[in-house]
């Protein structure tokens, strides 16, 4: 009889998670956008983005941001997925910092299909709804149709567009809003 793996534990991220979050963020970004979607980021731009977004120090700093929340899914001490929400930063004329934004929802390639993204999304949306005085916001890459379809199922509609910086490179992104 084959033993099933233990279920993943979903919990609030802790300061000591910063190095593992950094590694998971880097790998998931590469797997999704570079390998998966084939975006040809120039190496210097990709490296600058990785350092500013996914270095252990950058993650340690982000984990202490006032008004933000982080959750992780782990199994046997290994981080498999994470989500981050906090005050809105998207450049939309109706958006306010007192509105909440889902900033990241990353699931390791090896953990996709386990329902972790849905668990984290539900947790993040509930937290966001409890901490906002307006609509909820998400930025999503314009070419990620799967994510757009998922967010539409949760009531998000396209409200605008912007350019997301990856170093000096700019990705075309959609701004999604619910509420």
């Amino acid at each position: 009889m084959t033993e099933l793996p233990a279920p993943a534990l979903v919990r609030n991220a802790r300061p000591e998670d910063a190095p593992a979050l950094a590694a998971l963020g880097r790998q998931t970004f590469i797997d999704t956008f570079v390998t998966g979607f084939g975006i040809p980021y120039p190496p210097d731009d990709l490296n600058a983005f990785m350092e500013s977004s996914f270095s252990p120090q950058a993650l340690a700093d982000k984990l202490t941001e006032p008004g933000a929340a982080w959750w992780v899914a782990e199994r046997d001490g290994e981080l498999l997925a994470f989500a981050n929400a906090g005050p809105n930063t998207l450049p939309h004329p109706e958006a306010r910092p007192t509105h909440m934004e889902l900033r990241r929802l990353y699931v390791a390639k090896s953990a996709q299909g386990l329902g972790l993204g849905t668990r984290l999304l539900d947790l993040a949306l509930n937290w966001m709804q409890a901490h906002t005085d307006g609509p909820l916001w998400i930025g999503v890459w314009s070419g990620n149709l799967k994510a757009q379809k998922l967010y539409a199922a949760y009531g998000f509609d396209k409200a605008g567009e912007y350019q997301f910086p990856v170093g000096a490179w700019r990705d075309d992104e959609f701004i999604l809003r619910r509420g």
Side-chain angles (χ1 to χ4, degrees), residues 65-87:
E65 178 191 358
W70 288 79
W71 304 271
V72 298
E74 72 170 333
R75 181 185 303 135
D76 300 327
E78 177 189 3
L79 294 190
L80 303 173
F82 68 91
N84 166 233

Side-chain angles (χ1 to χ4, degrees), residues 26 29-30 33-34 39-54 166-169:
R26 282 175 181 261
F29 188 89
I30 294 294
F33 298 104
V34 177
I39 300 174
Y41 298 115
D44 289 345
D45 292 325
L46 183 59
N47 290 336
F49 174 75
M50 290 295 183
E51 189 59 30
S52 67
S53 298
F54 298 119
V166 177
W169 179 278

